[in-house]
Amino acid sequence: MTSATATTRPKPPPKWPYTAVGLTLIGIVLVAGWSLDDAKWERLPQFPGEILQYAAQMLDGVLTWPGAHPEGQADPELTYGDWWLQSLKLMGESVALAWIGTCVGALFSFPLAFLAASTTAPLFVRVPVRLFFNAIRAVPEILLAVIVMLPLFGLNPMAGAMAIGIHSIGSLGKLTLENIESVDPRPVEAVTAAGATWWQRIRTAVIPQMMPETVAFWLYRFEVNIRASAILGVVSAGGIGALLNRVLRGREWEWGGIMLAVIIIVTILVDQLSAALRHRILHGAEATAVAA
């Protein structure tokens, strides 16, 4: 009896006080936000009906049979098929901007990451490089396009590509340096003991370990940049965003539905392809076949 009592585990402390405190704090923050915001909350009951109305108009534009012409004045000379073709063309331009920006980010962030990692660079070198990564990562792509790139390149798609590329340097640089710092140190110690130089250690012991995950980061960043490129078109930095912004501001919901459908379809296709490539890179061909 005594031994059974001695081995009985004590009951864990209740978790509901922490849950209650957390929910209370969240409620306080929400109430404070509502009280400080100047939103017209009396219009909230109308919101579901308006959303359904706009969604129905967009769906009507998507499902209209070829040859028909949805009501709207965005460009009366364009037919239903022309709008699909133009939307696909501009979305292709957005994908191209994202690809160029990702390549620029990968090209510059890769060598800089070795100068920012604690395992490959001294303190006086990595601190300014990390500050550089943080600085350019903190500035949104749209501000880089408006403030820096548009004055340099004008109303040109290259402005959007360079804005995406510069922002990608900061994001990919941080991910890559963390990847470098997390490699297995034993191969590095082995080649160091064999008398390898700094560059030989990087080339033979660090890069082979971190390269698969780094390429996976590049592919994931490409997915993110596709969404960013669609937004940059709003400021005339190329891509589908400029026309989408003009159409929606003109309340041409039918045409906007076609463009949104193109954006969603292309984004899903690219995401699926990128996810398959990342899985192949990280887990190999056999794991990919098993997952399929």
Side-chain angles (χ1 to χ4, degrees), residues 87-102 157 160-161 164 222-234 237-244 262-263 266-267 270:
S87 299
L88 287 170
K89 177 182 177 181
L90 291 174
M91 189 61 200
E93 183 177 285
S94 293
V95 174
L97 295 181
W99 178 254
I100 295 173
T102 304
I164 292 173
F222 174 54
E223 299 174 22
V224 176
N225 287 341
I226 291 177
R227 301 171 181 87
S229 65
I231 296 173
L232 286 177
V234 175
I240 197 172
L243 185 57
L244 180 62
V262 169
I263 292 174
V266 173
T267 302
V270 172

PDB file of all heavy atoms in Angstrom, residues 87-102 157 160-161 164 222-234 237-244 262-263 266-267 270:
ATOM      1  N   SER A  87      -5.176  38.872 -69.318  1.00  0.00           N
ATOM      2  CA  SER A  87      -4.908  38.576 -67.917  1.00  0.00           C
ATOM      3  C   SER A  87      -3.786  37.550 -67.782  1.00  0.00           C
ATOM      4  O   SER A  87      -2.896  37.684 -66.930  1.00  0.00           O
ATOM      5  CB  SER A  87      -6.180  38.065 -67.234  1.00  0.00           C
ATOM      6  OG  SER A  87      -7.207  39.037 -67.275  1.00  0.00           O
ATOM      7  N   LEU A  88      -3.806  36.521 -68.635  1.00  0.00           N
ATOM      8  CA  LEU A  88      -2.742  35.516 -68.593  1.00  0.00           C
ATOM      9  C   LEU A  88      -1.391  36.127 -68.976  1.00  0.00           C
ATOM     10  O   LEU A  88      -0.356  35.798 -68.380  1.00  0.00           O
ATOM     11  CB  LEU A  88      -3.079  34.360 -69.534  1.00  0.00           C
ATOM     12  CG  LEU A  88      -4.196  33.412 -69.066  1.00  0.00           C
ATOM     13  CD1 LEU A  88      -4.599  32.472 -70.190  1.00  0.00           C
ATOM     14  CD2 LEU A  88      -3.719  32.622 -67.847  1.00  0.00           C
ATOM     15  N   LYS A  89      -1.397  37.031 -69.958  1.00  0.00           N
ATOM     16  CA  LYS A  89      -0.156  37.676 -70.373  1.00  0.00           C
ATOM     17  C   LYS A  89       0.435  38.516 -69.240  1.00  0.00           C
ATOM     18  O   LYS A  89       1.634  38.435 -68.944  1.00  0.00           O
ATOM     19  CB  LYS A  89      -0.414  38.557 -71.595  1.00  0.00           C
ATOM     20  CG  LYS A  89       0.809  39.325 -72.069  1.00  0.00           C
ATOM     21  CD  LYS A  89       0.459  40.212 -73.255  1.00  0.00           C
ATOM     22  CE  LYS A  89       1.667  41.039 -73.677  1.00  0.00           C
ATOM     23  NZ  LYS A  89       1.335  41.941 -74.822  1.00  0.00           N
ATOM     24  N   LEU A  90      -0.415  39.306 -68.590  1.00  0.00           N
ATOM     25  CA  LEU A  90       0.076  40.151 -67.499  1.00  0.00           C
ATOM     26  C   LEU A  90       0.473  39.325 -66.280  1.00  0.00           C
ATOM     27  O   LEU A  90       1.416  39.669 -65.569  1.00  0.00           O
ATOM     28  CB  LEU A  90      -0.990  41.180 -67.117  1.00  0.00           C
ATOM     29  CG  LEU A  90      -1.270  42.258 -68.159  1.00  0.00           C
ATOM     30  CD1 LEU A  90      -2.428  43.134 -67.734  1.00  0.00           C
ATOM     31  CD2 LEU A  90      -0.021  43.097 -68.405  1.00  0.00           C
ATOM     32  N   MET A  91      -0.239  38.223 -66.023  1.00  0.00           N
ATOM     33  CA  MET A  91       0.156  37.352 -64.921  1.00  0.00           C
ATOM     34  C   MET A  91       1.492  36.690 -65.224  1.00  0.00           C
ATOM     35  O   MET A  91       2.315  36.489 -64.329  1.00  0.00           O
ATOM     36  CB  MET A  91      -0.928  36.300 -64.676  1.00  0.00           C
ATOM     37  CG  MET A  91      -0.698  35.487 -63.402  1.00  0.00           C
ATOM     38  SD  MET A  91      -0.700  36.561 -61.940  1.00  0.00           S
ATOM     39  CE  MET A  91       0.148  35.520 -60.759  1.00  0.00           C
ATOM     40  N   GLY A  92       1.710  36.341 -66.501  1.00  0.00           N
ATOM     41  CA  GLY A  92       3.028  35.823 -66.882  1.00  0.00           C
ATOM     42  C   GLY A  92       4.125  36.842 -66.636  1.00  0.00           C
ATOM     43  O   GLY A  92       5.244  36.490 -66.220  1.00  0.00           O
ATOM     44  N   GLU A  93       3.814  38.117 -66.874  1.00  0.00           N
ATOM     45  CA  GLU A  93       4.782  39.169 -66.578  1.00  0.00           C
ATOM     46  C   GLU A  93       5.056  39.252 -65.081  1.00  0.00           C
ATOM     47  O   GLU A  93       6.210  39.438 -64.665  1.00  0.00           O
ATOM     48  CB  GLU A  93       4.259  40.507 -67.093  1.00  0.00           C
ATOM     49  CG  GLU A  93       5.225  41.677 -66.913  1.00  0.00           C
ATOM     50  CD  GLU A  93       4.683  42.958 -67.509  1.00  0.00           C
ATOM     51  OE1 GLU A  93       4.700  43.067 -68.747  1.00  0.00           O
ATOM     52  OE2 GLU A  93       4.236  43.827 -66.735  1.00  0.00           O
ATOM     53  N   SER A  94       4.019  39.078 -64.249  1.00  0.00           N
ATOM     54  CA  SER A  94       4.213  39.090 -62.799  1.00  0.00           C
ATOM     55  C   SER A  94       5.092  37.925 -62.364  1.00  0.00           C
ATOM     56  O   SER A  94       5.974  38.078 -61.499  1.00  0.00           O
ATOM     57  CB  SER A  94       2.864  39.018 -62.083  1.00  0.00           C
ATOM     58  OG  SER A  94       2.101  40.186 -62.297  1.00  0.00           O
ATOM     59  N   VAL A  95       4.876  36.746 -62.953  1.00  0.00           N
ATOM     60  CA  VAL A  95       5.712  35.587 -62.625  1.00  0.00           C
ATOM     61  C   VAL A  95       7.160  35.841 -63.047  1.00  0.00           C
ATOM     62  O   VAL A  95       8.107  35.491 -62.332  1.00  0.00           O
ATOM     63  CB  VAL A  95       5.148  34.319 -63.287  1.00  0.00           C
ATOM     64  CG1 VAL A  95       6.095  33.135 -63.083  1.00  0.00           C
ATOM     65  CG2 VAL A  95       3.774  33.986 -62.710  1.00  0.00           C
ATOM     66  N   ALA A  96       7.345  36.465 -64.213  1.00  0.00           N
ATOM     67  CA  ALA A  96       8.700  36.775 -64.668  1.00  0.00           C
ATOM     68  C   ALA A  96       9.385  37.763 -63.723  1.00  0.00           C
ATOM     69  O   ALA A  96      10.577  37.623 -63.417  1.00  0.00           O
ATOM     70  CB  ALA A  96       8.652  37.342 -66.088  1.00  0.00           C
ATOM     71  N   LEU A  97       8.646  38.777 -63.262  1.00  0.00           N
ATOM     72  CA  LEU A  97       9.213  39.725 -62.295  1.00  0.00           C
ATOM     73  C   LEU A  97       9.634  39.010 -61.022  1.00  0.00           C
ATOM     74  O   LEU A  97      10.706  39.281 -60.463  1.00  0.00           O
ATOM     75  CB  LEU A  97       8.183  40.811 -61.967  1.00  0.00           C
ATOM     76  CG  LEU A  97       7.761  41.757 -63.088  1.00  0.00           C
ATOM     77  CD1 LEU A  97       6.767  42.780 -62.562  1.00  0.00           C
ATOM     78  CD2 LEU A  97       8.957  42.448 -63.696  1.00  0.00           C
ATOM     79  N   ALA A  98       8.773  38.097 -60.557  1.00  0.00           N
ATOM     80  CA  ALA A  98       9.097  37.361 -59.333  1.00  0.00           C
ATOM     81  C   ALA A  98      10.330  36.496 -59.537  1.00  0.00           C
ATOM     82  O   ALA A  98      11.179  36.386 -58.637  1.00  0.00           O
ATOM     83  CB  ALA A  98       7.907  36.506 -58.912  1.00  0.00           C
ATOM     84  N   TRP A  99      10.462  35.875 -60.702  1.00  0.00           N
ATOM     85  CA  TRP A  99      11.614  35.014 -60.970  1.00  0.00           C
ATOM     86  C   TRP A  99      12.908  35.828 -61.025  1.00  0.00           C
ATOM     87  O   TRP A  99      13.920  35.440 -60.441  1.00  0.00           O
ATOM     88  CB  TRP A  99      11.401  34.265 -62.284  1.00  0.00           C
ATOM     89  CG  TRP A  99      12.555  33.386 -62.659  1.00  0.00           C
ATOM     90  CD1 TRP A  99      13.477  33.603 -63.631  1.00  0.00           C
ATOM     91  CD2 TRP A  99      12.914  32.141 -62.050  1.00  0.00           C
ATOM     92  NE1 TRP A  99      14.395  32.587 -63.682  1.00  0.00           N
ATOM     93  CE2 TRP A  99      14.070  31.675 -62.720  1.00  0.00           C
ATOM     94  CE3 TRP A  99      12.377  31.392 -61.012  1.00  0.00           C
ATOM     95  CZ2 TRP A  99      14.686  30.472 -62.373  1.00  0.00           C
ATOM     96  CZ3 TRP A  99      13.000  30.184 -60.668  1.00  0.00           C
ATOM     97  CH2 TRP A  99      14.133  29.745 -61.348  1.00  0.00           C
ATOM     98  N   ILE A 100      12.870  36.964 -61.716  1.00  0.00           N
ATOM     99  CA  ILE A 100      14.066  37.817 -61.785  1.00  0.00           C
ATOM    100  C   ILE A 100      14.441  38.318 -60.393  1.00  0.00           C
ATOM    101  O   ILE A 100      15.609  38.300 -59.997  1.00  0.00           O
ATOM    102  CB  ILE A 100      13.829  38.991 -62.752  1.00  0.00           C
ATOM    103  CG1 ILE A 100      13.652  38.487 -64.178  1.00  0.00           C
ATOM    104  CG2 ILE A 100      14.984  39.994 -62.682  1.00  0.00           C
ATOM    105  CD1 ILE A 100      13.244  39.560 -65.162  1.00  0.00           C
ATOM    106  N   GLY A 101      13.442  38.775 -59.635  1.00  0.00           N
ATOM    107  CA  GLY A 101      13.722  39.248 -58.285  1.00  0.00           C
ATOM    108  C   GLY A 101      14.286  38.173 -57.394  1.00  0.00           C
ATOM    109  O   GLY A 101      15.211  38.420 -56.595  1.00  0.00           O
ATOM    110  N   THR A 102      13.775  36.951 -57.516  1.00  0.00           N
ATOM    111  CA  THR A 102      14.299  35.847 -56.711  1.00  0.00           C
ATOM    112  C   THR A 102      15.737  35.525 -57.099  1.00  0.00           C
ATOM    113  O   THR A 102      16.580  35.261 -56.230  1.00  0.00           O
ATOM    114  CB  THR A 102      13.414  34.605 -56.890  1.00  0.00           C
ATOM    115  OG1 THR A 102      12.064  34.937 -56.566  1.00  0.00           O
ATOM    116  CG2 THR A 102      13.880  33.481 -55.981  1.00  0.00           C
ATOM    117  N   PRO A 157       8.708  47.465 -65.958  1.00  0.00           N
ATOM    118  CA  PRO A 157       8.665  46.266 -65.115  1.00  0.00           C
ATOM    119  C   PRO A 157       9.960  45.982 -64.367  1.00  0.00           C
ATOM    120  O   PRO A 157       9.946  45.342 -63.316  1.00  0.00           O
ATOM    121  CB  PRO A 157       8.359  45.146 -66.127  1.00  0.00           C
ATOM    122  CG  PRO A 157       7.638  45.825 -67.234  1.00  0.00           C
ATOM    123  CD  PRO A 157       8.256  47.195 -67.328  1.00  0.00           C
ATOM    124  N   GLY A 160       9.895  46.950 -60.705  1.00  0.00           N
ATOM    125  CA  GLY A 160       9.302  45.974 -59.802  1.00  0.00           C
ATOM    126  C   GLY A 160      10.225  44.805 -59.531  1.00  0.00           C
ATOM    127  O   GLY A 160      10.325  44.326 -58.398  1.00  0.00           O
ATOM    128  N   ALA A 161      10.916  44.326 -60.572  1.00  0.00           N
ATOM    129  CA  ALA A 161      11.828  43.192 -60.393  1.00  0.00           C
ATOM    130  C   ALA A 161      12.967  43.544 -59.439  1.00  0.00           C
ATOM    131  O   ALA A 161      13.335  42.745 -58.567  1.00  0.00           O
ATOM    132  CB  ALA A 161      12.378  42.752 -61.744  1.00  0.00           C
ATOM    133  N   ILE A 164      11.701  43.786 -55.793  1.00  0.00           N
ATOM    134  CA  ILE A 164      11.555  42.440 -55.233  1.00  0.00           C
ATOM    135  C   ILE A 164      12.914  41.826 -54.935  1.00  0.00           C
ATOM    136  O   ILE A 164      13.117  41.175 -53.905  1.00  0.00           O
ATOM    137  CB  ILE A 164      10.755  41.557 -56.212  1.00  0.00           C
ATOM    138  CG1 ILE A 164       9.312  42.039 -56.300  1.00  0.00           C
ATOM    139  CG2 ILE A 164      10.789  40.096 -55.785  1.00  0.00           C
ATOM    140  CD1 ILE A 164       8.498  41.336 -57.362  1.00  0.00           C
ATOM    141  N   PHE A 222      10.358  32.449 -54.089  1.00  0.00           N
ATOM    142  CA  PHE A 222       9.762  32.687 -55.402  1.00  0.00           C
ATOM    143  C   PHE A 222       8.244  32.704 -55.303  1.00  0.00           C
ATOM    144  O   PHE A 222       7.582  33.549 -55.920  1.00  0.00           O
ATOM    145  CB  PHE A 222      10.235  31.602 -56.374  1.00  0.00           C
ATOM    146  CG  PHE A 222       9.583  31.653 -57.717  1.00  0.00           C
ATOM    147  CD1 PHE A 222       9.588  32.818 -58.476  1.00  0.00           C
ATOM    148  CD2 PHE A 222       8.957  30.526 -58.234  1.00  0.00           C
ATOM    149  CE1 PHE A 222       8.989  32.860 -59.717  1.00  0.00           C
ATOM    150  CE2 PHE A 222       8.351  30.560 -59.476  1.00  0.00           C
ATOM    151  CZ  PHE A 222       8.368  31.723 -60.217  1.00  0.00           C
ATOM    152  N   GLU A 223       7.661  31.791 -54.519  1.00  0.00           N
ATOM    153  CA  GLU A 223       6.212  31.794 -54.318  1.00  0.00           C
ATOM    154  C   GLU A 223       5.755  33.101 -53.692  1.00  0.00           C
ATOM    155  O   GLU A 223       4.752  33.697 -54.103  1.00  0.00           O
ATOM    156  CB  GLU A 223       5.810  30.623 -53.423  1.00  0.00           C
ATOM    157  CG  GLU A 223       6.142  29.249 -53.986  1.00  0.00           C
ATOM    158  CD  GLU A 223       5.834  28.163 -52.981  1.00  0.00           C
ATOM    159  OE1 GLU A 223       5.014  28.399 -52.079  1.00  0.00           O
ATOM    160  OE2 GLU A 223       6.416  27.067 -53.095  1.00  0.00           O
ATOM    161  N   VAL A 224       6.479  33.558 -52.670  1.00  0.00           N
ATOM    162  CA  VAL A 224       6.120  34.808 -51.995  1.00  0.00           C
ATOM    163  C   VAL A 224       6.239  35.987 -52.957  1.00  0.00           C
ATOM    164  O   VAL A 224       5.396  36.902 -52.959  1.00  0.00           O
ATOM    165  CB  VAL A 224       7.008  35.016 -50.760  1.00  0.00           C
ATOM    166  CG1 VAL A 224       6.731  36.362 -50.101  1.00  0.00           C
ATOM    167  CG2 VAL A 224       6.790  33.887 -49.755  1.00  0.00           C
ATOM    168  N   ASN A 225       7.266  35.977 -53.784  1.00  0.00           N
ATOM    169  CA  ASN A 225       7.493  37.094 -54.699  1.00  0.00           C
ATOM    170  C   ASN A 225       6.427  37.183 -55.786  1.00  0.00           C
ATOM    171  O   ASN A 225       6.189  38.272 -56.329  1.00  0.00           O
ATOM    172  CB  ASN A 225       8.880  36.967 -55.338  1.00  0.00           C
ATOM    173  CG  ASN A 225       9.989  37.291 -54.359  1.00  0.00           C
ATOM    174  OD1 ASN A 225       9.764  37.930 -53.332  1.00  0.00           O
ATOM    175  ND2 ASN A 225      11.198  36.848 -54.653  1.00  0.00           N
ATOM    176  N   ILE A 226       5.798  36.068 -56.150  1.00  0.00           N
ATOM    177  CA  ILE A 226       4.718  36.125 -57.121  1.00  0.00           C
ATOM    178  C   ILE A 226       3.576  36.981 -56.579  1.00  0.00           C
ATOM    179  O   ILE A 226       3.004  37.823 -57.286  1.00  0.00           O
ATOM    180  CB  ILE A 226       4.221  34.708 -57.468  1.00  0.00           C
ATOM    181  CG1 ILE A 226       5.291  33.972 -58.269  1.00  0.00           C
ATOM    182  CG2 ILE A 226       2.919  34.767 -58.260  1.00  0.00           C
ATOM    183  CD1 ILE A 226       4.924  32.544 -58.600  1.00  0.00           C
ATOM    184  N   ARG A 227       3.246  36.796 -55.324  1.00  0.00           N
ATOM    185  CA  ARG A 227       2.184  37.605 -54.720  1.00  0.00           C
ATOM    186  C   ARG A 227       2.610  39.069 -54.629  1.00  0.00           C
ATOM    187  O   ARG A 227       1.804  39.977 -54.861  1.00  0.00           O
ATOM    188  CB  ARG A 227       1.839  37.062 -53.337  1.00  0.00           C
ATOM    189  CG  ARG A 227       1.364  35.618 -53.365  1.00  0.00           C
ATOM    190  CD  ARG A 227       1.228  35.040 -51.963  1.00  0.00           C
ATOM    191  NE  ARG A 227       0.788  33.657 -51.982  1.00  0.00           N
ATOM    192  CZ  ARG A 227       1.575  32.612 -52.086  1.00  0.00           C
ATOM    193  NH1 ARG A 227       2.876  32.795 -52.198  1.00  0.00           N
ATOM    194  NH2 ARG A 227       1.087  31.388 -52.089  1.00  0.00           N
ATOM    195  N   ALA A 228       3.887  39.297 -54.282  1.00  0.00           N
ATOM    196  CA  ALA A 228       4.376  40.671 -54.191  1.00  0.00           C
ATOM    197  C   ALA A 228       4.361  41.352 -55.554  1.00  0.00           C
ATOM    198  O   ALA A 228       4.045  42.544 -55.661  1.00  0.00           O
ATOM    199  CB  ALA A 228       5.785  40.683 -53.606  1.00  0.00           C
ATOM    200  N   SER A 229       4.698  40.628 -56.612  1.00  0.00           N
ATOM    201  CA  SER A 229       4.727  41.227 -57.951  1.00  0.00           C
ATOM    202  C   SER A 229       3.333  41.639 -58.406  1.00  0.00           C
ATOM    203  O   SER A 229       3.174  42.630 -59.112  1.00  0.00           O
ATOM    204  CB  SER A 229       5.342  40.244 -58.949  1.00  0.00           C
ATOM    205  OG  SER A 229       4.520  39.092 -59.101  1.00  0.00           O
ATOM    206  N   ALA A 230       2.309  40.872 -57.999  1.00  0.00           N
ATOM    207  CA  ALA A 230       0.944  41.253 -58.359  1.00  0.00           C
ATOM    208  C   ALA A 230       0.540  42.560 -57.684  1.00  0.00           C
ATOM    209  O   ALA A 230      -0.215  43.354 -58.240  1.00  0.00           O
ATOM    210  CB  ALA A 230      -0.029  40.136 -57.978  1.00  0.00           C
ATOM    211  N   ILE A 231       1.058  42.796 -56.482  1.00  0.00           N
ATOM    212  CA  ILE A 231       0.738  44.032 -55.761  1.00  0.00           C
ATOM    213  C   ILE A 231       1.515  45.211 -56.341  1.00  0.00           C
ATOM    214  O   ILE A 231       0.994  46.332 -56.437  1.00  0.00           O
ATOM    215  CB  ILE A 231       1.052  43.861 -54.265  1.00  0.00           C
ATOM    216  CG1 ILE A 231       0.146  42.783 -53.667  1.00  0.00           C
ATOM    217  CG2 ILE A 231       0.876  45.173 -53.514  1.00  0.00           C
ATOM    218  CD1 ILE A 231       0.477  42.423 -52.247  1.00  0.00           C
ATOM    219  N   LEU A 232       2.754  44.984 -56.755  1.00  0.00           N
ATOM    220  CA  LEU A 232       3.581  46.078 -57.253  1.00  0.00           C
ATOM    221  C   LEU A 232       3.014  46.703 -58.525  1.00  0.00           C
ATOM    222  O   LEU A 232       3.316  47.849 -58.839  1.00  0.00           O
ATOM    223  CB  LEU A 232       5.005  45.582 -57.511  1.00  0.00           C
ATOM    224  CG  LEU A 232       5.863  45.330 -56.275  1.00  0.00           C
ATOM    225  CD1 LEU A 232       7.224  44.783 -56.676  1.00  0.00           C
ATOM    226  CD2 LEU A 232       6.029  46.598 -55.452  1.00  0.00           C
ATOM    227  N   GLY A 233       2.209  45.962 -59.256  1.00  0.00           N
ATOM    228  CA  GLY A 233       1.603  46.543 -60.442  1.00  0.00           C
ATOM    229  C   GLY A 233       0.701  47.720 -60.139  1.00  0.00           C
ATOM    230  O   GLY A 233       0.439  48.554 -61.010  1.00  0.00           O
ATOM    231  N   VAL A 234       0.231  47.820 -58.902  1.00  0.00           N
ATOM    232  CA  VAL A 234      -0.631  48.935 -58.508  1.00  0.00           C
ATOM    233  C   VAL A 234       0.101  50.264 -58.664  1.00  0.00           C
ATOM    234  O   VAL A 234      -0.506  51.289 -58.980  1.00  0.00           O
ATOM    235  CB  VAL A 234      -1.119  48.740 -57.056  1.00  0.00           C
ATOM    236  CG1 VAL A 234      -1.910  49.945 -56.567  1.00  0.00           C
ATOM    237  CG2 VAL A 234      -1.973  47.475 -56.964  1.00  0.00           C
ATOM    238  N   ALA A 237       4.596  49.261 -61.525  1.00  0.00           N
ATOM    239  CA  ALA A 237       5.907  48.620 -61.556  1.00  0.00           C
ATOM    240  C   ALA A 237       5.855  47.288 -62.288  1.00  0.00           C
ATOM    241  O   ALA A 237       6.664  46.406 -62.051  1.00  0.00           O
ATOM    242  CB  ALA A 237       6.426  48.413 -60.134  1.00  0.00           C
ATOM    243  N   GLY A 238       4.905  47.131 -63.201  1.00  0.00           N
ATOM    244  CA  GLY A 238       4.822  45.925 -64.004  1.00  0.00           C
ATOM    245  C   GLY A 238       3.886  44.894 -63.409  1.00  0.00           C
ATOM    246  O   GLY A 238       3.539  44.923 -62.237  1.00  0.00           O
ATOM    247  N   GLY A 239       3.447  43.957 -64.263  1.00  0.00           N
ATOM    248  CA  GLY A 239       2.612  42.872 -63.793  1.00  0.00           C
ATOM    249  C   GLY A 239       1.130  43.165 -63.904  1.00  0.00           C
ATOM    250  O   GLY A 239       0.693  44.192 -64.436  1.00  0.00           O
ATOM    251  N   ILE A 240       0.343  42.255 -63.353  1.00  0.00           N
ATOM    252  CA  ILE A 240      -1.109  42.305 -63.499  1.00  0.00           C
ATOM    253  C   ILE A 240      -1.766  43.288 -62.541  1.00  0.00           C
ATOM    254  O   ILE A 240      -2.926  43.654 -62.716  1.00  0.00           O
ATOM    255  CB  ILE A 240      -1.688  40.884 -63.284  1.00  0.00           C
ATOM    256  CG1 ILE A 240      -3.112  40.796 -63.834  1.00  0.00           C
ATOM    257  CG2 ILE A 240      -1.636  40.491 -61.811  1.00  0.00           C
ATOM    258  CD1 ILE A 240      -3.661  39.381 -63.836  1.00  0.00           C
ATOM    259  N   GLY A 241      -1.039  43.728 -61.526  1.00  0.00           N
ATOM    260  CA  GLY A 241      -1.646  44.575 -60.498  1.00  0.00           C
ATOM    261  C   GLY A 241      -2.169  45.899 -61.016  1.00  0.00           C
ATOM    262  O   GLY A 241      -3.184  46.403 -60.522  1.00  0.00           O
ATOM    263  N   ALA A 242      -1.498  46.495 -62.007  1.00  0.00           N
ATOM    264  CA  ALA A 242      -1.932  47.804 -62.510  1.00  0.00           C
ATOM    265  C   ALA A 242      -3.320  47.716 -63.130  1.00  0.00           C
ATOM    266  O   ALA A 242      -4.205  48.520 -62.830  1.00  0.00           O
ATOM    267  CB  ALA A 242      -0.923  48.332 -63.530  1.00  0.00           C
ATOM    268  N   LEU A 243      -3.528  46.734 -64.004  1.00  0.00           N
ATOM    269  CA  LEU A 243      -4.823  46.591 -64.641  1.00  0.00           C
ATOM    270  C   LEU A 243      -5.887  46.157 -63.636  1.00  0.00           C
ATOM    271  O   LEU A 243      -7.031  46.613 -63.690  1.00  0.00           O
ATOM    272  CB  LEU A 243      -4.740  45.576 -65.780  1.00  0.00           C
ATOM    273  CG  LEU A 243      -6.001  45.411 -66.623  1.00  0.00           C
ATOM    274  CD1 LEU A 243      -6.426  46.746 -67.232  1.00  0.00           C
ATOM    275  CD2 LEU A 243      -5.781  44.370 -67.718  1.00  0.00           C
ATOM    276  N   LEU A 244      -5.525  45.282 -62.708  1.00  0.00           N
ATOM    277  CA  LEU A 244      -6.478  44.851 -61.687  1.00  0.00           C
ATOM    278  C   LEU A 244      -6.924  46.025 -60.829  1.00  0.00           C
ATOM    279  O   LEU A 244      -8.114  46.170 -60.516  1.00  0.00           O
ATOM    280  CB  LEU A 244      -5.850  43.767 -60.812  1.00  0.00           C
ATOM    281  CG  LEU A 244      -6.731  43.206 -59.689  1.00  0.00           C
ATOM    282  CD1 LEU A 244      -7.959  42.534 -60.266  1.00  0.00           C
ATOM    283  CD2 LEU A 244      -5.936  42.223 -58.828  1.00  0.00           C
ATOM    284  N   VAL A 262      -7.444  34.221 -62.779  1.00  0.00           N
ATOM    285  CA  VAL A 262      -6.126  33.939 -63.361  1.00  0.00           C
ATOM    286  C   VAL A 262      -5.047  33.969 -62.289  1.00  0.00           C
ATOM    287  O   VAL A 262      -4.171  33.089 -62.240  1.00  0.00           O
ATOM    288  CB  VAL A 262      -5.823  34.958 -64.479  1.00  0.00           C
ATOM    289  CG1 VAL A 262      -4.359  34.862 -64.911  1.00  0.00           C
ATOM    290  CG2 VAL A 262      -6.738  34.720 -65.665  1.00  0.00           C
ATOM    291  N   ILE A 263      -5.090  34.965 -61.408  1.00  0.00           N
ATOM    292  CA  ILE A 263      -4.092  35.057 -60.342  1.00  0.00           C
ATOM    293  C   ILE A 263      -4.146  33.817 -59.451  1.00  0.00           C
ATOM    294  O   ILE A 263      -3.107  33.221 -59.108  1.00  0.00           O
ATOM    295  CB  ILE A 263      -4.324  36.331 -59.506  1.00  0.00           C
ATOM    296  CG1 ILE A 263      -4.030  37.573 -60.343  1.00  0.00           C
ATOM    297  CG2 ILE A 263      -3.444  36.328 -58.256  1.00  0.00           C
ATOM    298  CD1 ILE A 263      -4.376  38.878 -59.654  1.00  0.00           C
ATOM    299  N   VAL A 266      -2.885  30.535 -61.478  1.00  0.00           N
ATOM    300  CA  VAL A 266      -1.439  30.528 -61.710  1.00  0.00           C
ATOM    301  C   VAL A 266      -0.683  30.376 -60.387  1.00  0.00           C
ATOM    302  O   VAL A 266       0.300  29.625 -60.301  1.00  0.00           O
ATOM    303  CB  VAL A 266      -1.012  31.809 -62.439  1.00  0.00           C
ATOM    304  CG1 VAL A 266       0.517  31.896 -62.534  1.00  0.00           C
ATOM    305  CG2 VAL A 266      -1.621  31.855 -63.829  1.00  0.00           C
ATOM    306  N   THR A 267      -1.133  31.055 -59.333  1.00  0.00           N
ATOM    307  CA  THR A 267      -0.456  30.949 -58.047  1.00  0.00           C
ATOM    308  C   THR A 267      -0.522  29.529 -57.502  1.00  0.00           C
ATOM    309  O   THR A 267       0.471  29.002 -56.981  1.00  0.00           O
ATOM    310  CB  THR A 267      -1.085  31.925 -57.039  1.00  0.00           C
ATOM    311  OG1 THR A 267      -0.990  33.259 -57.548  1.00  0.00           O
ATOM    312  CG2 THR A 267      -0.357  31.857 -55.702  1.00  0.00           C
ATOM    313  N   VAL A 270       1.911  27.289 -59.528  1.00  0.00           N
ATOM    314  CA  VAL A 270       3.306  27.538 -59.173  1.00  0.00           C
ATOM    315  C   VAL A 270       3.610  27.004 -57.774  1.00  0.00           C
ATOM    316  O   VAL A 270       4.670  26.414 -57.534  1.00  0.00           O
ATOM    317  CB  VAL A 270       3.621  29.044 -59.260  1.00  0.00           C
ATOM    318  CG1 VAL A 270       5.013  29.335 -58.706  1.00  0.00           C
ATOM    319  CG2 VAL A 270       3.530  29.515 -60.701  1.00  0.00           C
TER     320      VAL A 270
END
